[in-house]
């Protein structure tokens, strides 16, 4: 398991292996100072890709039960019934974002995910700097 964990019913047919390879290569450069870990210890972000809203909420809450601050990217599409109101049912304190999957533009997902990861990293760094100054 890498630093990005994907939970999916695979109904959308998203090529997560290709996307994860691109993102993991980018993240290796960002995280070169970290020591290697294995298993769930390495999970820093989680992608939830279930067509049915109940499954997406359940999977998100299962992850957040063990890692309440892990950032979640919830994949949805125009046929899915996952809406912002479902995000309110997800526990934990970490950031969440919905991503609208477009089968016509699959390459957009890696680009949008990278932007989101950069945004989450900037938020984490600013919080760490704020906590360091408070000490």
């Amino acid at each position: 398991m890498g630093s990005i964990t994907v939970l999916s019913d695979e109904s959308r047919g998203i090529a997560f292996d290709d996307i994860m390879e691109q993102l993991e290569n980018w993240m290796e450069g960002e995280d070169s100072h970290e020591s290697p870990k294995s298993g769930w210890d390495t999970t820093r972000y989680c992608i939830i890709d279930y067509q049915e809203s109940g499954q997406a909420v359940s999977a998100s809450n299962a992850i957040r039960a063990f890692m309440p601050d892990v950032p979640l990217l919830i994949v949805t599409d125009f046929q899915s019934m996952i809406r912002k109101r479902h995000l309110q049912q997800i526990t934990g304190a970490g950031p969440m974002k919905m991503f609208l999957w477009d089968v016509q533009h699959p390459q957009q997902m890696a680009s949008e995910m990278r932007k989101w990861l950069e945004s989450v990293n900037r938020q984490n760094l600013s919080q760490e700097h704020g906590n360091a100054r408070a000490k």
Side-chain angles (χ1 to χ4, degrees):
M1 222 171 279
S3 58
I4 302 172
T5 297
V6 178
L7 300 178
S8 176
D9 62 9
E10 300 179 3
S11 63
R12 291 185 183 91
I14 299 172
F16 282 113
D17 289 340
D18 296 337
I19 294 169
M20 293 305 104
E21 185 177 332
Q22 292 175 36
L23 293 173
E24 293 287 348
N25 288 337
W26 167 73
M27 291 175 70
E28 281 177 13
E30 297 283 313
D31 299 336
S32 58
H33 63 281
E34 290 189 9
S35 60
K37 298 176 187 174
S38 62
W40 283 99
D41 291 341
T42 64
T43 299
R44 293 182 42 208
Y45 311 95
C46 191
I47 299 169
I48 307 294
D49 174 39
Y50 289 94
Q51 190 74 27
E52 200 262 295
S53 60
Q55 286 183 300
V57 170
S58 293
S60 299
N61 283 332
I63 292 291
R64 287 280 179 89
F66 297 99
M67 296 179 289
D69 296 327
V70 71
L72 299 176
L73 182 70
I74 314 294
V75 180
T76 189
D77 58 33
F78 287 117
Q79 286 75 41
S80 174
M81 297 307 295
I82 300 171
R83 302 289 181 252
K84 287 187 178 185
R85 64 185 157 93
H86 295 106
L87 298 184
Q88 296 171 345
Q89 299 171 20
I90 298 172
T91 60
M96 287 185 285
K97 178 178 173 67
M98 283 186 30
F99 175 79
L100 182 62
W101 168 249
D102 183 353
V103 71
Q104 301 298 322
H105 303 285
Q107 71 284 359
Q108 183 182 13
M109 185 168 202
S111 162
E112 290 297 317
M113 286 176 60
R114 184 172 173 173
K115 288 179 193 174
W116 180 67
L117 294 172
E118 288 172 344
S119 167
V120 169
N121 283 339
R122 278 193 302 274
Q123 289 173 359
N124 288 343
L125 285 174
S126 68
Q127 288 175 355
E128 288 173 10
H129 290 304
N131 290 341
R133 282 191 293 250
K135 290 182 180 179

